[in-house]
Amino acid sequence: MKRTSEAAFETAIEAVLLEDGFKRVAPKDFDRERAIFPTEALAFIKATQDGVWQKLEALHGDQTGERVLEALCKWLDAHGALATLRHGFKCFGKTLRVAFFRPAHGLNPELESRYKANRLGLTRQLHFSTKSEKSLDVVLSVNGIPIVTLELKNPISAGATAADAIRQYRTTRDPREPIFVFTKRSLVHFAVDTE
């Protein structure tokens, strides 16, 4: 007999996204206070901007990662996730990118390579709160920055619908939590059911 629970619904969504290039990111890798996945962000920056990283490392040594994360979060808080994804952020006078968009043409292999280096993350049951153990069903991230949250409902098993997920966002999700602060991190929140 096929399981028709919310978890099975999560698994089905996960399977489709993993086939499309997303990678699993463990919930434990999420920094609740900063509302980012630090390891993912740093891995992307190091892999795509080694020259700038080396210059920063010459200044900061072992503290380079921490300095970069501080600058990234400060920039996200000041300018928002969308602007940061589009234009990058400043770190001690150097511009670092946190995403590369598809080039208009394939004539520049370096741009194509950077675009392909983007790390699309999928995290299930993300405990996001700095105050409790509340969790989101699914969070999608780009290079360590959470962009999309999803609350899933399966009317077949629990009788819950997307309307219940909307109510959950409105009543049990504190908009002051770092992951929900408008424009600073997550850009869109989806209430999803099987219909």
Side-chain angles (χ1 to χ4, degrees):
M1 182 172 164
K2 186 176 177 185
R3 235 174 100 216
T4 55
S5 70
E6 202 172 279
F9 189 27
E10 278 181 37
T11 300
I13 288 174
E14 177 184 50
V16 169
L17 292 172
L18 291 176
E19 284 179 20
D20 279 345
F22 281 79
K23 303 286 184 227
R24 282 185 192 95
V25 178
K28 68 177 179 51
D29 295 340
F30 186 70
D31 181 328
R32 296 181 195 202
E33 293 196 6
R34 291 177 171 165
I36 62 169
F37 295 92
T39 304
E40 288 292 298
L42 292 176
F44 171 78
I45 291 168
K46 286 179 189 176
T48 59
Q49 299 150 92
D50 187 56
V52 176
W53 183 268
Q54 296 298 329
K55 290 175 184 175
L56 289 168
E57 200 167 42
L59 291 171
H60 303 290
D62 292 345
Q63 293 298 310
T64 303
E66 187 57 34
R67 297 292 175 261
V68 168
L69 291 173
E70 287 170 2
L72 170 59
C73 291
K74 188 175 181 179
W75 199 270
L76 284 165
D77 290 341
H79 301 281
L82 188 57
T84 305
L85 286 167
R86 284 183 176 161
H87 307 293
F89 67 102
K90 294 279 187 189
C91 181
F92 292 90
K94 310 284 185 218
T95 299
L96 291 168
R97 303 296 305 256
V98 287
F100 288 102
F101 295 91
R102 183 184 301 271
H105 52 74
L107 300 176
N108 186 330
E110 182 182 348
L111 292 179
E112 189 68 30
S113 172
R114 285 182 170 184
Y115 168 70
K116 288 180 180 176
N118 284 317
R119 302 165 74 97
L120 304 176
L122 178 146
T123 306
R124 289 175 61 173
Q125 294 304 312
L126 177 72
H127 295 276
F128 61 87
S129 179
T130 58
K131 302 169 191 148
S132 72
E133 287 303 306
K134 290 182 180 178
S135 66
L136 288 157
D137 292 333
V138 177
V139 172
L140 305 178
S141 59
V142 175
N143 303 319
I145 300 172
I147 301 300
V148 177
T149 71
L150 296 100
E151 283 297 345
L152 307 178
K153 301 298 174 196
N154 193 339
I156 297 170
S157 65
T161 67
D164 295 302
I166 291 169
R167 190 170 22 267
Q168 186 175 7
Y169 273 120
R170 286 182 179 159
T171 61
T172 68
R173 302 295 183 236
D174 183 349
R176 295 169 296 188
E177 288 281 0
I179 196 168
F180 294 120
V181 175
F182 186 63
T183 75
K184 307 291 184 198
R185 298 299 187 275
S186 300
L187 299 174
V188 63
H189 309 284
F190 288 110
V192 183
D193 66 25
T194 57
E195 301 301 315

